[in-house]
Amino acid sequence: MSSTESTGIPVTIINQLDVELVVYNSVTPTPPANPPSTNALDYLPVYTQIATVAANGSTDFTTPDALSRLVICQESDDFPVQLFIPPILAMTASTTVTATDLQDCQNVWAFYQQLFSQPYSPEALQFNELFIGVTDVGTLEDSVATFFNDNGLPGCTYDQFSIVSFWATNSLYAWEGTYYCYLPQTNSSGFIVPDSPCGTLTVTGGQASYVPASGTAGVGALSFVNGLLSSPQASSSSGFYANAVPRNLTWEGQSPEVVLCFVGSLDGSDLTAQPYQNPTMPWWIAAYNLAYVSFQTVQLAMLLNMAIQVLSGVANGISYLSSKISQFISSNNEALNEVSSSADSVAEDVGEEIETINVDVDVDVDVDVDTDTDNVEDTDNVTDTDVDVDIDIDIDIDIDDDVFAIIDVDVDVDVDIDIDTDVVTDTDNVTDTDNATDVDTDTDIDTDVNVEPGMVNGLVSKIGNWIMAKAFPALVKNLAIIVAMTSAQKLLQVWQQSDEQDLQNMQPAQSTGLGLLVNYMLNENNSVQTRWTTFADFVQQTLPDIGTQQMLLTTIVMTQNTDADNAANSWNWPSSSETALVNQMAQYNTSADEYQAYLLLASATYNGAVLPVKVGCDVALDYLNQITPAS
């Protein structure tokens, strides 16, 4: 026997379930190299059926190779119940499939659905961090088991999560039902919700078929691989090509159960599919990207699981993988970004690429000179001339990225100079000139946004969680996409130096929630009062710290927008009015009631006019600076 040949291992599988089982050998087609590959896609598993096991029975067979990875599933729906890897040096091996195995996998399946329906929950983010932040891949099995145990899923394992995730992204048994397909349209303002389906997608018996509403021929047999449902030789420009998006329907006010939706294309036209008729809102503009962090977790977890098992049989394989983990994660992100690009194609052409204002944001510099002259002659022949000169310089924001990686938002507010000149001439022809100059200056209010590691992700996560839980319907009311949502990541680059790790790991899709909120706050289709009321809801629901609020407000100010900038440039008010408003807001100085300051801001006016949004942001920054505890 040559050294390249391998001998399989005799295996016995005992089935204690009252359903028939099927056994797959799941291996990577790319054999280990020296050094091993750090390309995540090289560890995609391929399933090959090798045996069946009768209900309450057992079976004996020999594995195809000495190194085999056996996934044991229910025959009726391919739902996985156990992963078994026979010891490579064993003469024989056996495993028993129990009711506990089935229950554990069902619990993991429930967790998988929760991961997508609540991708920014503390539990989901903690689970994500196990993989994104891993440095020693040899510890993953224990850390995942500990996570499950600590979150009410004792006995559940990393292997179970891996095989259940593969099933959910490759088996249509997971998502049987009828899906109504639509071709959403866009205009210069945003999205037009379609009112009639273009066809019907039916998933049953693990198979999918598409029937056009026109009654013409379909697109051929559909396959479901790695979350992509496609017809033969399809691409984003031809055929049926749609990415799966697990989500609940709470945005639409329907049952919170997790269902599958699709976003993609049909012969090059944007396509969406959902398990109910008559969409009421454009969920597809954000659903995939808001759940991106979960897609990232699931794909990375599956590929790392396979890589660990393959490289466990290679000398120093695990330590080598650990030393190259950043390359492995990067390759996974690159692959996922390609998927994301096709998944959010319905939104990618709407809105301008975000342009940022990084330095010297001159919101308003206005000089008013009012001269009032009163000539009064009384019986004493006294002439009184009174000249008042008022100079109002309202707001000048300098955003400086200094060497300490602190963003200094210098707000120069209201320089009021009152010059009173009294010229008095009496009957004695004696001229008394009294020049009284009163200068009231309130300048250079430094609001230092001290961004520390983890704050960028904290901002994105808080916004994402709020939108997923409740805010999406409000944010898309009177929708207008002013700037491209996925380019909002550019706004966060201001804090690159102080939170480098977060920005390095963040992918464009993850900025969608921030982009959606920025669009909303700059959307003139909604009243300023409504916008600040929604902002107050964000603060009330998520309780962001002061630094996070400062980051968000500064981000809105930094976003170039002609209408918002012109409105701010045209604004003029005295320092006393702003100071009074800030002092009113400052009474709300605890995290539990800070939202009430924004409700106050929502109703603020000056001379009957509402404050432009960017002026409101400046007032809010001043307010936050005032209530910030001294360091």
Side-chain angles (χ1 to χ4, degrees), residues 538-551:
F538 165 72
V539 174
Q540 183 180 22
Q541 297 298 322
T542 67
L543 297 177
D545 59 32
I546 288 176
T548 298
Q549 293 175 61
Q550 290 171 330
M551 288 173 64

Side-chain angles (χ1 to χ4, degrees), residues 291-434:
Y292 179 93
V293 65
S294 295
F295 286 105
Q296 184 184 45
T297 298
V298 166
Q299 180 164 303
L300 182 59
M302 286 193 299
L303 299 180
L304 265 178
N305 183 256
M306 174 64 82
I308 291 169
Q309 289 161 0
V310 168
L311 299 183
S312 293
V314 175
N316 301 316
I318 297 300
S319 60
Y320 179 81
L321 180 60
S322 297
S323 69
K324 301 294 183 181
I325 190 60
S326 61
Q327 296 179 18
F328 192 97
I329 293 174
S330 294
S331 67
N332 178 67
N333 289 342
E334 290 174 5
L336 199 56
N337 283 341
E338 293 181 10
V339 175
S340 177
S341 178
S342 63
D344 65 9
S345 62
V346 292
E348 64 182 6
D349 295 328
V350 178
E352 299 294 330
E353 190 78 1
I354 278 184
E355 295 294 335
T356 61
I357 304 171
N358 290 326
V359 179
D360 291 331
V361 185
D362 295 326
V363 178
D364 191 12
V365 176
D366 189 17
V367 178
D368 295 332
V369 178
D370 298 325
T371 302
D372 296 326
T373 302
D374 294 326
N375 292 326
V376 179
E377 290 192 21
D378 58 17
T379 57
D380 297 325
N381 295 317
V382 176
T383 302
D384 187 349
T385 302
D386 183 14
V387 180
D388 293 334
V389 180
D390 296 332
I391 302 176
D392 294 337
I393 302 176
D394 284 338
I395 302 171
D396 176 30
I397 299 181
D398 299 325
I399 302 176
D400 304 319
D401 190 355
D402 65 20
V403 295
F404 301 106
I406 295 176
I407 303 304
D408 298 329
V409 184
D410 299 333
V411 185
D412 299 332
V413 182
D414 293 327
V415 180
D416 295 337
I417 302 176
D418 298 328
I419 302 176
D420 296 331
T421 302
D422 294 328
V423 180
V424 179
T425 303
D426 60 21
T427 56
D428 298 327
N429 292 320
V430 176
T431 301
D432 296 325
T433 302
D434 180 15

Side-chain angles (χ1 to χ4, degrees), residues 247-255 261 274 276 278-284 472-473:
R247 55 183 293 264
N248 63 35
L249 302 179
T250 53
W251 290 348
E252 293 92 331
Q254 299 193 33
S255 169
C261 294
Q274 57 194 45
Y276 66 94
N278 303 319
T280 57
M281 63 183 62
W283 58 264
W284 48 86
F472 185 81

Side-chain angles (χ1 to χ4, degrees), residues 148-202:
F148 282 138
N149 184 74
D150 293 345
N151 286 274
L153 298 173
C156 294
T157 67
Y158 182 17
D159 286 346
Q160 290 169 339
F161 181 80
S162 178
I163 60 178
V164 167
S165 296
F166 184 88
W167 175 76
T169 53
N170 289 273
S171 175
L172 288 171
Y173 281 115
W175 310 107
E176 295 199 335
T178 300
Y179 300 84
Y180 302 94
C181 302
Y182 295 87
L183 300 175
Q185 303 296 314
T186 62
N187 59 24
S188 59
S189 298
F191 297 88
I192 302 173
V193 177
D195 56 8
S196 58
C198 64
T200 303
L201 175 68
T202 302

Side-chain angles (χ1 to χ4, degrees), residues 235-290:
S235 69
S236 58
S237 59
S238 65
F240 191 103
Y241 193 84
N243 288 281
V245 186
R247 55 183 293 264
N248 63 35
L249 302 179
T250 53
W251 290 348
E252 293 92 331
Q254 299 193 33
S255 169
E257 67 177 311
V258 178
V259 301
L260 198 67
C261 294
F262 293 91
V263 288
S265 60
L266 178 64
D267 291 329
S269 297
D270 293 334
L271 172 78
T272 66
Q274 57 194 45
Y276 66 94
Q277 298 188 63
N278 303 319
T280 57
M281 63 183 62
W283 58 264
W284 48 86
I285 70 172
Y288 185 96
N289 286 349
L290 283 172

Side-chain angles (χ1 to χ4, degrees), residues 567-591:
N569 289 334
S570 300
W571 184 257
N572 178 44
W573 64 342
S575 62
S576 58
S577 295
E578 183 185 15
T579 299
L581 177 55
V582 171
N583 288 340
Q584 281 184 287
M585 294 171 66
Q587 65 182 301
Y588 304 112
N589 55 13
T590 65
S591 60

Side-chain angles (χ1 to χ4, degrees), residues 120 125 128-129 132 289 292-293 296 329-330 333-334 336-337 451 454-464 485-496 499-515 551:
Y120 295 98
L125 293 175
N128 175 66
E129 187 59 30
I132 296 298
N289 286 349
Y292 179 93
V293 65
Q296 184 184 45
I329 293 174
S330 294
N333 289 342
E334 290 174 5
L336 199 56
N337 283 341
V451 177
M455 285 184 64
V456 170
N457 267 345
L459 171 64
V460 171
S461 297
K462 283 183 180 295
I463 294 175
M485 290 183 293
T486 56
S487 68
Q489 188 181 12
K490 286 185 177 180
L491 298 170
L492 300 175
Q493 296 299 328
V494 173
W495 293 283
Q496 176 77 41
D499 201 355
E500 184 173 2
Q501 183 174 356
D502 278 6
L503 268 298
Q504 283 180 341
N505 291 333
M506 184 172 293
Q507 306 304 305
Q510 292 174 267
S511 67
T512 294
L514 174 63
M551 288 173 64

